[in-house]
């Protein structure tokens, strides 16, 4: 559902991103400079939304777009496979050959840095101003998707990555009263499951799910402010607080199974609802997988087959990721692209898309009545006064592609040698290398 994803000389402030919008407007209401072509006859929208839910959401957006723009032909250039990795490879080739689509999907935040530095996408300052988007999106979100004072994409959805999924029957057998509220409680619960049941304490999948677990443990131990600070220039990854979090991570990994690495996230998540594992930490896309109908969903029941809670130590913090759309430099149908961005950023468009995708709108003014079950909970959490936002490094928010890759390499080596000191040293080096 989501992509797994660069050198950086200027870091993002407020979670490795900084600033607010300020750029010269173009006559067409786009960003700074670039092709002023206002052709609205067509729009080619490039994405990896081909799976259940996401394809349905895109179809709903397309229908609304065509109703509002009857003279514009919509071309769906979605590419399936690899949870976005295949699409991104095709996109990179097209951009290098100066044959961009009119708009393409990318995770909001640092994942877009390579495109920005290569001059392949335009800033959207005047577009935000003309459509009053600065008041529509949460201020924290705007801060966290801004680079050198400019915003380069339009978020259409929000997913939450700091979610704990658990099997209530297994917890009862282990004498665990409910979802652990701290990392220390989590380790105690894992220990109890191992000692009192024959179940897997914590299911883990392919290596990227260990990266995902790492960001959750860091957030759970450090808290939102200290976690966010890790992604700012000069952050101290060698601090005692990070050492403590990595020590806890090392302990938690002991309660996973080695053979789990042969499965992707679906297999690890399925182990919980099938009664084979007590816990799984995964993004909220797992909910749609659990409750959806066959053949793509499991048809499981909330409160019977599974329950959910914020991952340990993270209640009150929304670790977010967002699919967003861009305006490429030299878009063949720039007018069509701007019309598409208007649709993707609109209240109507986001309320059509997100209930089908299994996500919540990035906008603050969405229609709450459309979001049921887990999505009602997520909607309330996203819009809760005082909620703190933390960006998912694994899902593109606050680590450039190079930094992301270096962390993944460090985690891969750690899974083999279980050497926490070497892991921390590698993470220190990864942060330094990214800043060079």
């Amino acid at each position: 559902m989501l992509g797994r994803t660069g050198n950086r000389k200027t870091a993002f402030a407020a979670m490795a991103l900084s600033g607010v919008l300020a750029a010269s407007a173009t006559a067409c209401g786009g960003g700074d400079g670039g092709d002023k072509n206002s052709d609205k006859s067509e729009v080619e929208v490039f994405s990896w939304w081909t799976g259940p839910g996401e394809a349905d959401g895109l179809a709903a957006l397309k229908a609304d777009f065509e109703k509002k723009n009857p003279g514009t032909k919509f071309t769906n250039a979605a590419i399936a496979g690899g949870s976005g990795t295949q699409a991104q490879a095709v996109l990179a080739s097209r951009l290098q050959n100066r044959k961009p689509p009119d708009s393409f999907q990318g995770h909001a935040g640092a994942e877009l840095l390579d495109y920005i530095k290569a001059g392949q996408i335009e800033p959207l300052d005047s577009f935000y101003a003309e459509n009053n988007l600065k008041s529509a999106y949460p201020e924290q979100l705007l801060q966290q998707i801004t680079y050198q004072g400019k915003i380069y994409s339009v978020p259409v959805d929000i997913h939450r990555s700091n979610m704990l999924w658990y099997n209530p029957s297994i917890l009862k057998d282990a004498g665990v009263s409910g979802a652990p509220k701290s990392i220390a409680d989590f380790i105690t619960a894992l220990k109890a499951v191992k000692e009192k049941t024959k179940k897997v304490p914590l299911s883990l999948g392919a290596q990227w799910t260990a990266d995902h677990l790492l960001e959750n443990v860091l957030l759970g131990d450090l808290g939102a402010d200290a976690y966010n600070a890790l992604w700012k220039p000069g952050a101290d990854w060698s601090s005692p607080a990070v050492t403590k979090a990595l020590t806890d991570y090392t302990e938690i990994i002991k309660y996973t199974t080695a053979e789990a690495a042969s499965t992707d996230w679906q297999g690890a998540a399925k182990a919980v609802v099938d009664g084979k594992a007590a816990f799984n930490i995964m993004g909220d896309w797992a909910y749609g997988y659990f409750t959806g109908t066959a053949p793509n969903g499991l048809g499981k029941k909330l409160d019977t087959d599974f329950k959910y809670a914020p991952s340990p130590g993270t209640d009150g913090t929304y670790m977010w990721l967002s699919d967003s759309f861009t305006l490429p430099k030299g878009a063949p149908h720039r007018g069509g692209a701007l019309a598409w961005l208007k649709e993707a950023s609109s209240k109507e468009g986001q309320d059509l898309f997100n209930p089908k995708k299994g996500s919540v709108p990035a906008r603050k003014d969405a229609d709450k009545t459309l979001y049921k079950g887990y999505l009602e909970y997520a909607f309330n959490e996203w819009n809760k006064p005082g909620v703190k936002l933390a960006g998912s490094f694994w899902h593109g928010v606050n680590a450039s592609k190079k930094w992301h890759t270096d962390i993944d390499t460090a985690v891969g080596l750690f899974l083999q040698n279980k050497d926490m000191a070497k892991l921390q040293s590698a993470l220190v080096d990864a942060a330094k290398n990214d800043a060079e």
Side-chain angles (χ1 to χ4, degrees):
M1 183 180 298
L2 300 163
R4 324 278 193 244
T5 63
N7 273 333
R8 175 176 89 163
K9 293 187 178 178
T10 306
F12 280 87
M15 285 183 46
L17 306 160
S18 72
V20 190
L21 315 169
S24 59
T26 69
C28 300
D32 300 337
D35 183 3
K36 301 294 195 300
N37 175 21
S38 60
D39 185 358
K40 196 182 174 183
S41 63
E42 183 178 348
V43 60
E44 181 191 12
V45 176
F46 186 99
S47 77
W48 54 83
W49 284 337
T50 61
E54 58 194 15
D56 296 333
L58 180 58
L61 274 176
K62 174 179 178 288
D64 194 52
F65 174 85
E66 290 175 334
K67 183 171 67 175
K68 294 175 181 175
N69 301 274
T72 304
K73 176 186 175 183
F74 184 98
T75 299
N76 180 2
I79 292 181
S83 298
T85 53
Q86 292 186 30
Q88 290 174 13
V90 172
L91 176 64
S93 177
R94 290 188 59 174
L95 294 176
Q96 288 168 5
N97 289 302
R98 298 186 180 181
K99 295 181 179 180
D102 296 309
S103 184
F104 64 82
Q105 175 189 359
H107 288 134
E111 185 177 296
L112 301 178
L113 268 173
D114 286 356
Y115 306 124
I116 295 170
K117 291 185 174 183
Q120 294 172 328
I121 57 176
E122 294 190 31
L124 295 169
D125 308 83
S126 58
F127 176 83
Y128 268 73
E130 290 170 11
N131 292 281
N132 298 313
L133 294 183
K134 288 178 65 177
S135 61
Y137 287 104
E139 177 60 26
Q140 284 189 81
L141 177 63
L142 293 178
Q143 291 173 358
Q144 294 176 11
I145 64 171
T146 300
Y147 177 67
Q148 292 188 345
K150 299 176 184 179
I151 289 182
Y152 289 83
S153 68
V154 170
V156 65
D157 65 16
I158 296 291
H159 276 292
R160 189 177 190 180
S161 71
N162 60 315
M163 292 302 299
L164 177 73
W165 310 95
Y166 63 97
N167 186 296
S169 296
I170 296 177
L171 264 61
K172 182 178 179 181
D173 291 343
V176 178
S177 59
K181 297 187 180 301
S182 68
I183 295 294
D185 289 345
F186 187 39
I187 293 172
T188 299
L190 294 172
K191 204 170 297 184
V193 171
K194 181 178 180 179
E195 292 174 353
K196 299 179 182 179
T197 76
K198 294 182 179 181
K199 310 297 184 178
V200 175
L202 175 64
S203 59
L204 205 62
Q207 182 179 308
W208 77 264
T209 67
D211 295 271
H212 186 103
L213 175 62
L214 174 62
E215 69 181 17
N216 275 269
V217 175
L218 287 169
L219 180 62
D221 264 338
L222 297 173
D225 293 342
Y227 171 87
N228 289 342
L230 287 179
W231 310 99
K232 296 179 182 179
D236 185 8
W237 282 79
S238 65
S239 71
V242 174
T243 302
K244 172 63 166 58
L246 296 179
T247 300
D248 286 341
Y249 179 69
T250 301
E251 181 66 16
I252 289 168
I253 287 291
K254 294 177 182 177
Y255 295 97
T256 63
T257 53
E259 62 269 21
S262 64
T263 70
D264 205 349
W265 72 267
Q266 293 95 334
K270 187 173 185 292
V272 170
V273 296
D274 284 350
K276 297 178 181 179
F279 297 104
N280 177 242
I281 290 179
M282 184 45 56
D284 59 6
W285 46 91
Y287 180 81
Y289 176 53
F290 291 156
T291 60
T293 56
N296 299 302
L298 300 178
K300 298 294 184 176
K301 300 294 185 183
L302 176 63
D303 293 330
T304 300
D305 300 309
F306 72 98
K307 289 188 175 183
Y308 62 80
S311 60
T314 72
D315 192 17
T317 298
Y318 209 109
M319 183 179 275
W320 68 277
L321 56 140
S322 174
D323 296 297
S324 66
F325 283 94
T326 62
L327 178 61
K329 289 275 184 71
H333 310 94
R334 194 170 185 278
L338 290 168
W340 167 250
L341 293 178
K342 186 172 182 177
E343 172 67 27
S345 64
S346 70
K347 176 182 181 296
E348 297 82 5
Q350 294 196 10
D351 275 340
L352 285 167
F353 174 80
N354 284 288
K356 296 180 182 297
K357 171 76 156 38
S359 46
V360 299
R363 293 180 63 109
K364 297 184 294 185
D365 57 355
D367 184 353
K368 179 179 177 180
T369 64
L370 299 174
Y371 299 87
K372 309 296 184 183
Y374 166 80
L375 290 181
E376 180 179 7
Y377 164 80
F379 186 100
N380 290 336
E381 290 288 299
W382 175 249
N383 292 285
K384 182 184 293 183
V387 67
K388 292 191 173 185
L389 301 188
S392 165
F393 89 76
W394 182 256
H395 299 285
V397 177
N398 49 12
S400 67
K401 289 185 177 181
K402 181 181 185 303
W403 199 354
H404 178 281
T405 299
D406 287 349
I407 294 174
D408 185 45
T409 299
V411 170
L413 291 173
F414 168 77
L415 293 176
Q416 297 175 37
N417 59 38
K418 303 299 191 297
D419 190 323
M420 189 278 293
K422 288 184 179 179
L423 173 61
Q424 185 163 19
S425 179
L427 294 175
V428 169
D429 289 343
K432 288 179 179 178
N433 292 338
D434 187 73
E436 292 176 354

